[in-house]
């Protein structure tokens, strides 16, 4: 037994001498011991950092996201009163052209449910009214350019000005009531188009995710609608169109007490880097 203990002691002494003579081995074992003491294993402590210059350019520049647009609207005119609500979901994809300039494209769909009361006046001066409920399904594409005006709170909050073009189609469907004598008599579909400028506020809550909120009440723009009608006549039908062109600022409309769709709405979304 004494011989065995002597052999073990010799081996330990030889290993200690080798470590003392080899600084690299000693340092390596000391590092492993430190890592193991802090985290429990060497593998758990390894952090692989990929330098930004090694990330492909398209991954640095490209982003994607989605927006939600939810609103209630109220529109009062001399001959009708309209109330309703709408929700739109719009995916987007974009490219960071420069630090302050983003280019992007949104493409999505919306659903709207509106209730309209039409008021009429007979020849004898007596007034009467009728109700109409119409549901709308629509889609829209909108390329945009966004410019950052200012950042706040250590670049977490961004103030942007966005300009976008848009074009889409709307397909109405009468749910209740009769369309005779209303804007929907013979209406098959509408084409919408226009341009708009509005501010956007963003908040970067992680390295890859940014929350964005749109202030449509502060927007100004130009919009147009072409409605396609089909009027039944004897032996067939007659087709015709009606164009409506509007240059509007929703803030101006608010001050003038002219409420427009989207005024009571909230439009927000998320942008995410790759």
């Amino acid at each position: 037994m004494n011989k065995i203990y002597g052999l073990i002691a010799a081996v330990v002494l030889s290993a200690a001498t080798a470590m003392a003579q080899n600084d690299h081995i000693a340092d390596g074992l000391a590092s492993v011991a430190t890592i193991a003491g802090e985290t429990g294993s060497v593998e758990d402590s390894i952090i692989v950092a990929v330098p930004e210059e090694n990330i492909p350019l398209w991954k640095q520049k490209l982003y994607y996201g989605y927006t939600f647009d939810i609103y209630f609207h109220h529109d009062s005119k001399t001959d009708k009163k309209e109330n309703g609500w709408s929700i739109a979901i719009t995916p987007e994809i974009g490219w960071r052209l420069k630090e302050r300039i983003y280019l992007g494209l949104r493409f999505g769909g919306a659903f709207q449910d509106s209730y309209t009361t039409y008021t009429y006046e007979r020849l004898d001066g007596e007034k009467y009214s009728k109700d109409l409920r119409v549901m709308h399904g629509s889609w829209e594409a909108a390329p945009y350019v966004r410019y950052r005006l200012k950042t706040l709170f250590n670049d977490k909050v961004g103030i942007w000005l966005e300009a976008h073009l848009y074009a889409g189609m709307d397909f109405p469907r009468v749910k209740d009531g009769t369309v005779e004598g209303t804007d929907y008599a013979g209406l098959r579909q509408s084409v919408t188009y226009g341009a708009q400028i509005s501010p956007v506020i963003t908040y970067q809550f992680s390295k890859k995710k940014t929350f964005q909120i749109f202030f449509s009440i502060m927007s100004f723009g130009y919009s147009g609608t072409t409605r396609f009608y089909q009027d039944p006549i004897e032996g067939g039908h007659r087709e015709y169109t009606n164009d409506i062109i509007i240059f509007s600022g929703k803030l101006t409309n608010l001050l003038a007490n002219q409420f427009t769709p989207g005024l009571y709405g909230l439009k927000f979304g998320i942008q995410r880097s790759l």
Side-chain angles (χ1 to χ4, degrees):
M1 291 295 292
N2 291 333
K3 291 183 178 180
I4 294 175
Y5 290 143
L7 181 60
I8 294 175
V11 172
V12 172
L13 180 62
S14 299
T17 304
M19 286 195 309
Q21 293 175 350
N22 194 325
D23 294 336
H24 295 291
I25 295 177
D27 293 342
L29 292 176
S31 299
V32 171
T34 302
I35 292 173
E38 292 179 354
T39 63
S41 68
V42 178
E43 290 79 1
D44 293 340
S45 302
I46 297 176
I47 300 176
V48 180
V50 181
E52 188 171 339
E53 58 268 18
N54 293 338
I55 301 176
L57 179 63
W58 66 273
K59 279 194 174 183
Q60 299 180 39
K61 298 289 188 178
L62 193 66
Y63 65 89
Y64 65 95
Y66 48 87
T67 60
F68 295 94
D69 191 358
I70 305 170
Y71 70 82
F72 295 90
H73 70 267
H74 169 74
D75 190 4
S76 295
K77 297 182 179 179
T78 56
D79 62 340
K80 71 176 183 178
K81 181 181 294 184
E82 184 175 355
N83 298 277
W85 61 275
S86 173
I87 181 170
I89 302 175
T90 311
E92 69 172 312
I93 188 170
W95 184 266
R96 295 180 180 87
L97 185 63
K98 293 184 178 180
E99 183 182 357
R100 289 176 171 263
I101 303 176
Y102 286 17
L103 303 177
L105 173 66
R106 300 189 188 96
F107 185 92
F111 173 81
Q112 179 179 330
D113 194 358
S114 61
Y115 309 83
T116 308
T117 300
Y118 290 85
T119 303
Y120 303 92
E121 185 174 346
R122 294 191 178 95
L123 295 177
D124 58 6
E126 187 176 350
K127 293 184 178 181
Y128 70 99
S129 62
K130 67 176 181 178
D131 297 327
L132 181 66
R133 181 186 177 190
V134 180
M135 293 183 176
H136 302 255
S138 62
W139 61 265
E140 183 178 278
Y144 66 86
V145 57
R146 181 182 293 184
Y147 179 76
R148 192 180 69 200
L149 301 174
K150 189 176 181 61
T151 59
L152 302 169
F153 306 109
N154 295 324
D155 296 335
K156 286 288 188 180
V157 176
I159 302 174
W160 305 73
L161 193 63
E162 179 180 298
H164 67 261
L165 304 173
Y166 65 89
M169 296 193 70
D170 176 78
F171 304 92
R173 177 187 174 190
V174 177
K175 190 67 176 178
D176 294 309
T178 59
V179 298
E180 185 179 355
T182 72
D183 298 335
Y184 296 97
L187 179 62
R188 294 186 297 133
Q189 72 232 10
S190 299
V191 174
T192 58
Y193 50 90
Q196 193 173 40
I197 298 176
S198 60
V200 182
I201 305 295
T202 61
Y203 175 74
Q204 187 173 1
F205 59 88
S206 73
K207 187 175 181 180
K208 290 190 174 184
K209 293 181 181 180
T210 302
F211 177 79
Q212 53 184 345
I213 183 169
F214 299 78
F215 290 86
S216 59
I217 190 175
M218 299 292 295
S219 65
F220 292 87
Y222 157 93
S223 62
T225 302
T226 300
R227 294 176 172 175
F228 293 86
Y229 292 88
Q230 190 176 80
D231 187 17
I233 58 176
E234 186 177 354
H237 60 268
R238 175 177 65 96
E239 295 187 357
Y240 63 98
T241 61
N242 179 29
D243 293 320
I244 303 172
I245 307 297
I246 300 174
F247 180 79
S248 67
K250 290 184 178 180
L251 181 60
T252 304
N253 292 342
L254 174 63
L255 297 177
N257 201 31
Q258 297 294 319
F259 301 121
T260 59
L263 190 60
Y264 304 115
L266 176 63
K267 184 175 181 180
F268 62 94
I270 298 290
Q271 285 183 349
R272 182 180 176 89
S273 303
L274 297 179

